[in-house]
Amino acid sequence: MSTQRDSFISRLFERAAEDRDIYLISVDMGAPSLDRWRKELPEQFFAAGISEQHTINFAAGLAARGKKVYVYFMASWVARCFEQIRYSCAMAANPITILGNGVALGYAPAGPAHEPNEDIAYMRSLCGIEIYSPANAEFARRLVDLTCDEPKLRYIRLERSYPGTLDGLYDENELTKENIKSGMKTIFAEDTQGHKSSICIASSGYMLGRALEVSKELVSAGYSVSVLDMWKIKPVDLDLFSKTVSKHDILVTLEEQTLSGGFGSKICELVSDCRLKKDVLRIGLPEGYIFENGAREHLLNQNGLSAEEIQSGIINFCEGQGDDHGEK
């Protein structure tokens, strides 16, 4: 299975071979997809080493001269150059595309320094930025044409790996630039016609796999359920969001982030802005950094995000028995 990183960078190479204004800057990362750039497009590729702040300023300078610039590094290092992104890119209106690979617990078991569980919170605070979290490799590949044809300041959250069940979510006709810009789509819907609550589970990226798993169990328990892939975290089409979630009794947000300022917080803001009278349950990682050594699946299961705990948390919330997942 191709990774999101290699799918994006390989497609970007194809565009760069035809457009000399496309540049890729890599920060201390090695990959076969980068080797091709070094060999065949050396004048459009820069290996910057461990120098995140310098790299962003360099990228902003290129963008100011009309170049289409992409910066690639581990998502955990985005925070190192936040100031440069704010001043040199957002404030100066320089459109670069930031590729953050290995979001959330994607680099487990490397430890909390390599596992950004708050990147949505700080990146969405920037004015004028767009944030995408694609579900699979093909989706990541299709993002390339949008970023090349319509340069803006963007942060693309690439999963280092993802559940195989997420491949094939979308066919070619669905992944047009206009559809991608719409930002969301219901990928599962089952109406049981019963008397239990109607639930919408909103998520993106890796956690969509668990959302789909849980949704099927909830349907078996008599609930009407839909799963909403919100791959565009900022900005969000308010009319489309309102139309999509308004028919449900309960809105659940599922994320591999801590809850402070993350995906669930964004959804709560949207509910407020759309003036929706909606009960919202936020499910995410506990407040704190995870120092336990273990693979991604193990750490998720040990920190409240097993399919069983997600399901029981939703059912308890629907039945008015409280919530153990929300921020205290």
Side-chain angles (χ1 to χ4, degrees):
M1 181 174 67
S2 179
T3 65
Q4 291 188 358
R5 174 196 65 189
D6 290 344
S7 293
F8 190 102
I9 292 176
S10 295
R11 173 56 184 158
L12 185 63
F13 176 91
E14 294 173 0
R15 290 293 303 257
E18 299 175 354
D19 186 347
R20 295 180 62 85
D21 283 336
I22 295 176
Y23 287 79
L24 175 62
I25 309 174
S26 174
V27 180
D28 191 40
M29 296 289 287
S33 55
L34 296 175
D35 294 338
R36 189 180 182 191
W37 282 77
R38 290 188 180 93
K39 182 179 179 181
E40 300 182 38
L41 294 176
E43 295 182 356
Q44 293 166 256
F45 176 78
F46 297 92
I50 306 174
S51 57
E52 293 85 358
Q53 295 93 339
H54 160 72
T55 297
I56 293 297
N57 284 335
F58 178 37
L62 289 172
R65 297 299 299 271
K67 307 303 181 183
K68 302 171 185 178
V69 191
Y70 296 76
V71 177
Y72 168 66
F73 42 46
M74 291 172 64
S76 53
W77 309 143
V78 175
R80 285 182 172 176
C81 48
F82 181 84
E83 180 180 355
Q84 284 71 31
I85 297 171
R86 180 176 186 265
Y87 286 100
S88 299
C89 301
M91 198 173 293
N94 285 317
I96 73 170
T97 299
I98 300 166
L99 306 174
N101 190 48
V103 294
L105 304 181
Y107 272 99
H114 293 73
E115 299 162 2
N117 56 5
E118 68 282 90
D119 67 310
I120 289 177
Y122 53 75
M123 290 302 283
R124 76 183 185 92
S125 70
L126 292 167
C127 296
I129 196 169
E130 292 189 354
I131 302 175
Y132 287 84
S133 286
N136 55 37
E138 180 59 23
F139 203 121
R141 179 179 179 275
R142 290 304 188 96
L143 275 169
V144 172
D145 291 334
L146 171 62
T147 60
C148 285
D149 296 340
E150 301 179 24
K152 293 181 180 179
L153 176 58
R154 292 186 175 96
Y155 175 47
I156 299 181
R157 306 176 71 246
L158 298 175
E159 297 285 356
R160 193 179 180 208
S161 63
Y162 58 87
T165 54
L166 298 183
D167 276 324
L169 279 183
Y170 304 101
D171 60 37
E172 293 184 0
N173 296 327
E174 291 179 294
L175 294 180
T176 64
K177 281 190 290 186
E178 290 306 312
N179 285 344
I180 289 175
K181 286 193 291 185
S182 72
M184 69 188 77
K185 180 175 172 43
T186 299
I187 58 174
F188 173 88
E190 188 72 40
D191 189 350
T192 62
Q193 301 293 327
H195 299 291
K196 292 188 175 181
S197 301
S198 174
I199 304 166
C200 176
I201 304 175
S203 191
S204 66
Y206 187 92
M207 293 306 291
L208 281 172
R210 300 219 163 179
L212 290 170
E213 182 181 352
V214 168
S215 65
K216 295 172 184 177
E217 295 298 323
L218 290 171
V219 168
S220 297
Y223 294 92
S224 297
V225 185
S226 70
V227 176
L228 178 62
D229 180 4
M230 291 191 63
W231 60 78
K232 190 176 183 182
I233 297 173
K234 182 181 179 181
V236 174
D237 184 325
L238 293 181
D239 290 337
L240 179 58
F241 174 79
S242 180
K243 184 185 300 182
T244 303
V245 307
S246 59
K247 58 186 176 182
H248 297 282
D249 304 315
I250 292 172
L251 179 57
V252 177
T253 66
L254 182 58
E255 61 187 305
E256 197 179 357
Q257 298 272 286
T258 50
L259 294 177
S260 299
F263 178 78
S265 294
K266 172 66 176 181
I267 298 302
C268 287
E269 293 167 14
L270 295 173
V271 169
S272 176
D273 292 343
C274 294
R275 303 183 70 178
L276 299 175
K277 295 181 179 179
K278 194 72 56 185
D279 289 328
V280 181
L281 169 63
R282 296 183 301 152
I283 301 177
L285 291 172
E287 183 79 6
Y289 301 104
I290 301 172
F291 288 89
E292 180 184 359
N293 190 28
R296 188 179 200 175
E297 289 290 308
H298 170 77
L299 295 181
L300 288 173
N301 292 340
Q302 293 299 308
N303 287 275
L305 291 179
S306 68
E308 293 77 16
E309 286 188 87
I310 293 169
Q311 179 184 341
S312 65
I314 293 173
I315 292 175
N316 288 343
F317 187 82
C318 291
E319 296 179 354
Q321 297 178 14
D323 165 34
D324 292 329
H325 295 269
E327 184 178 19
K328 302 295 189 284

